[in-house]
């Protein structure tokens, strides 16, 4: 029986999930969407980060305090990674400061891509994740994973493929690029919107640090076929602005605002 078990383990080329790494305030593991990946194909890895109740970690823009979660990679030739697919964040207060991040748990997905020239074989990948976890105080934590990435003639999906694809759909937002005018430290733009739809609230999560004045609400006016939106900006902010626009409680648009015109005062 022991020999059969050892033989079975030897026949499993790639570990598609990990045992969780436990830190004082969090735990983290990973899952892969494929057991094997063909050349010029993609595999998705999801890092599943959980915190103790009432603790949180941070989005790509942490807000007025905190630090974004980062992933540092050591990659072999022939394999590349994407940026993190960030889920929409929550808002929460740390004293008087507004923060963006995740309460209790979050899955951070990254795309691993193989180049056409890569040869079949097992490739070692190292991923180091650093995050800041906060409640009344903040503690930096980290974990490191050694991943055996299997390249073969064809791609084979793992048992977690459907789950990761569902997670990926939830963090892939429709994209919109709009021009804006600048007036009195506001970026003003029009958002196409069906007048028959209900609109109860708008909230903007900026990608850029120190850009939007997040202590002030964005304002908007409904028109026949669009909404005129005014985003309050901090002084000396850069011209281009991007982020997630939340419409009502659960709909999101990945928004990019551009304008090469001179500001109006």
């Amino acid at each position: 029986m022991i020999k059969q078990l050892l033989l079975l383990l030897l026949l499993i080329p790639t570990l598609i999930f990990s045992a969780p790494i436990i830190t004082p305030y969090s735990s983290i593991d990973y899952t892969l969407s494929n057991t094997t990946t063909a050349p010029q194909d993609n595999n998705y890895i999801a890092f599943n980060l959980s915190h103790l109740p009432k603790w949180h970690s941070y989005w790509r823009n942490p807000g007025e305090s905190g630090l974004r979660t980062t992933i540092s990679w050591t990659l072999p030739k022939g394999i590349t990674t994407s940026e993190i697919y960030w889920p929409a964040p929550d808002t929460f207060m740390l004293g008087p400061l507004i923060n963006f991040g995740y309460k209790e748990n979050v899955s951070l997905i990254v795309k691993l891509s193989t180049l056409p020239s890569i040869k079949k074989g097992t490739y070692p990948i190292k991923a180091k994740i650093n995050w800041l976890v906060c409640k009344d105080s903040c503690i930096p934590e980290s974990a490191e994973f050694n991943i055996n990435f299997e390249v073969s003639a064809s791609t084979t999906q793992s048992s977690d493929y459907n789950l990761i694809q569902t997670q990926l759909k939830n963090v892939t937002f429709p994209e919109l690029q709009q021009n804006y005018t600048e007036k009195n430290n506001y970026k003003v733009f029009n958002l196409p919107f069906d007048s028959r739809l209900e609109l109860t609230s708008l909230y903007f999560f900026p990608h850029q640090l120190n850009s939007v004045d997040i202590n002030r609400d964005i304002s908007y006016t409904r028109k026949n076929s669009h909404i005129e939106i005014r985003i309050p900006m901090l002084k000396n902010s850069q011209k281009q602005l991007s982020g997630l626009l939340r419409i009502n409680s659960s709909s999101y648009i990945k928004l990019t605002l551009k304008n090469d015109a001179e500001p109006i005062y």
Side-chain angles (χ1 to χ4, degrees):
M1 180 66 182
I2 294 177
K3 288 183 178 179
Q4 291 175 333
L5 180 61
L6 289 174
L7 179 60
L8 178 62
L9 291 173
L10 288 172
L11 291 174
I12 300 175
T14 303
L15 191 63
I16 59 166
F17 61 91
S18 69
I21 294 176
I22 308 298
T23 62
Y25 300 95
S26 311
S27 69
I28 186 170
D29 61 23
Y30 75 81
T31 52
L32 285 164
S33 64
N34 303 330
T35 57
T36 64
T37 307
Q40 203 171 7
D41 206 349
N42 301 317
N43 196 343
Y44 291 89
I45 185 167
F47 294 100
N48 307 300
L49 178 62
S50 300
H51 315 302
L52 292 178
K54 299 184 180 180
W55 290 76
H56 61 263
S57 59
Y58 290 90
W59 188 51
R60 58 181 293 174
N61 175 0
E64 294 184 297
S65 65
L67 293 171
R68 64 185 284 168
T69 298
T70 62
I71 305 175
S72 301
W73 296 92
T74 302
L75 297 167
K77 290 183 179 179
I79 298 175
T80 62
T81 63
S82 70
E83 296 296 317
I84 296 171
Y85 288 81
W86 294 94
D90 297 314
T91 56
F92 43 83
M93 303 297 296
L94 192 62
L97 303 175
I98 299 173
N99 292 274
F100 305 139
Y102 308 105
K103 302 171 184 176
E104 298 186 6
N105 61 77
V106 62
S107 291
L108 301 175
I109 298 176
V110 175
K111 180 171 66 177
L112 301 168
S113 300
T114 52
L115 298 182
S117 58
I118 196 169
K119 305 298 183 182
K120 291 188 291 185
T122 302
Y123 293 82
I125 292 176
K126 183 179 292 185
K128 184 175 182 182
I129 301 92
N130 292 279
W131 67 94
L132 189 69
V133 61
C134 298
K135 185 183 173 185
D136 299 321
S137 59
C138 293
I139 309 295
E141 295 192 316
S142 65
E144 191 170 294
F145 292 101
N146 294 300
I147 303 158
N148 289 324
F149 189 93
E150 186 74 14
V151 177
S152 66
S154 60
T155 295
T156 305
Q157 297 173 0
S158 75
S159 59
D160 290 301
Y161 177 85
N162 289 334
L163 173 62
I164 292 177
Q165 288 300 309
T166 298
Q167 292 174 327
L168 193 59
K169 288 179 181 177
N170 291 335
V171 298
T172 305
F173 307 104
E175 298 187 22
L176 179 67
Q177 182 173 306
Q178 293 290 95
N179 291 322
Y180 71 86
T181 57
E182 189 171 347
K183 186 173 183 180
N184 298 327
N185 282 332
Y186 282 87
K187 281 183 168 44
V188 183
F189 67 99
N190 292 328
L191 177 71
F193 196 80
D194 190 332
S195 60
R196 296 169 296 178
L197 298 177
E198 183 181 18
L199 179 62
T200 58
S201 65
L202 292 173
Y203 194 91
F204 186 68
F205 298 93
H207 288 160
Q208 293 84 5
L209 284 167
N210 303 318
S211 56
V212 173
D213 186 350
I214 60 177
N215 286 287
R216 299 165 64 194
D217 293 332
I218 67 174
S219 59
Y220 61 90
T221 303
R222 294 197 66 162
K223 308 288 186 177
N224 288 332
S225 60
H226 67 273
I227 312 166
E228 183 183 272
I229 300 175
R230 298 164 56 87
I231 298 180
M233 304 299 297
L234 296 172
K235 290 184 178 180
N236 302 318
S237 60
Q238 59 196 55
K239 283 190 174 182
Q240 182 170 316
L241 179 67
S242 62
L244 278 184
L245 179 67
R246 185 179 67 201
I247 302 172
N248 299 330
S249 61
S250 58
S251 296
Y252 294 88
I253 294 173
K254 188 176 180 181
L255 181 67
T256 300
L257 298 178
K258 291 184 176 182
N259 194 351
D260 297 326
E262 292 296 321
I264 302 170
Y265 296 103

